[in-house]
Amino acid sequence: MYKLGLIGHPVQHSKSPEIHQYFLNVINANGKYELFDVMEEDLEYFLNELKHSDMNGVNVTIPYKEKVIPYLDEIDEHAQMLKAVNTIKRKGNKLIGYNTDGEGFIDSLRYTYPKFVKDIKDKTVLILGAGGAAKGIYFSLKKLNPKRIDIANRTKRKAENIVSENNHLVLALEEAEEKLYEYDLVIQTTNVGMEPDKDNQVIKLTHLNRGAIVSDIVYKPKMTKFLLNGKQQGARLLFGESMLWYQAAKSFKIWTDQSVEKHLKID
Ligand code: NAP
């Protein structure tokens, strides 16, 4: 019997219970995935209880990906570098932190556009946003060695803190909007466009190259205004929902040691 869950605030609209219940069915195991809406003042108490519980682990979402770190016993190298944890595994009375967001994004890109990933050394990438998810995606993408990864963010200082190569540029959102034709892949990682803000998009895609890939990691709604604009410009699309499935499969593997990646429901 696997006991899994999600901590965050708010959590009630999460798709994770549905995804992990499906994974449990795939491996033919009993278990449950519960939502824990935890207030910040209760976070330490919750994690201490988790340590001494019979739960296998939890996912961590906004606003606790960084705040859980002081209460963990170990953190894997990748999560340590990102200073953000989205998956906690209980091992005995120890809590171990991981982060599967960046690698989940790369897997979704590789699954949908394998040739793009194969040729990535000649490709330029723009990340819009410089929050936790952007940071994970930047470092996972960097390992693939694309020609350039630039970051544009409302608060430029946050993008400057992520970029770690001299030839990678930091841009204001307005500059990025004007220079979009320079990029083969544009990844939208801000909260803009996420329900209930679904009528907004962080920048317009007027100057995009036809055939570029436009990705939005926001998955509610599936077709964001940003993606719809990309489609109108002749772009190929990558949906946030597929990253959601891949990062979930990686968390599930950490807890159960079982691979479910061949069974993801991505259309
Ligand atoms: P975060 O750390 O809070 O970062 C939020 C980012 O959005 C920052 O760059 C912030 O800019 C920017 N932003 C927020 N409001 C903005 C606005 N009105 N105009 C311009 N920029 C704005 O959040 P996160 O953890 O990175 O998550 C970001 C989004 O990704 C969320 O919608 C989340 O649901 C989604 N996500 C999806 C997956 C998936 O599997 N598909 C996984 C993780 C996250 P400033 O720095 O200027 O504040």
Side-chain angles (χ1 to χ4, degrees), residues 34 45 67 72 103 107 143 227:
E34 282 183 87
Y45 176 81
K67 292 188 175 125
L72 304 181
E103 294 300 312
D107 281 359
K143 285 195 241 160
L227 286 175

Side-chain angles (χ1 to χ4, degrees), residues 50-80:
L50 176 65
K51 220 179 240 201
H52 300 100
S53 72
D54 59 353
M55 288 192 71
N56 300 85
V58 291
N59 282 130
V60 182
T61 189
I62 292 171
Y64 300 134
K65 287 185 182 180
E66 292 172 19
K67 292 188 175 125
V68 294
I69 289 179
Y71 308 113
L72 304 181
D73 300 288
E74 286 172 35
I75 301 174
D76 99 318
E77 212 181 317
H78 182 63
Q80 197 147 29

Side-chain angles (χ1 to χ4, degrees), residues 119-132:
D119 299 337
I120 202 160
K121 287 191 172 52
D122 305 319
K123 307 291 185 191
T124 47
V125 183
L126 174 68
I127 298 177
L128 300 167

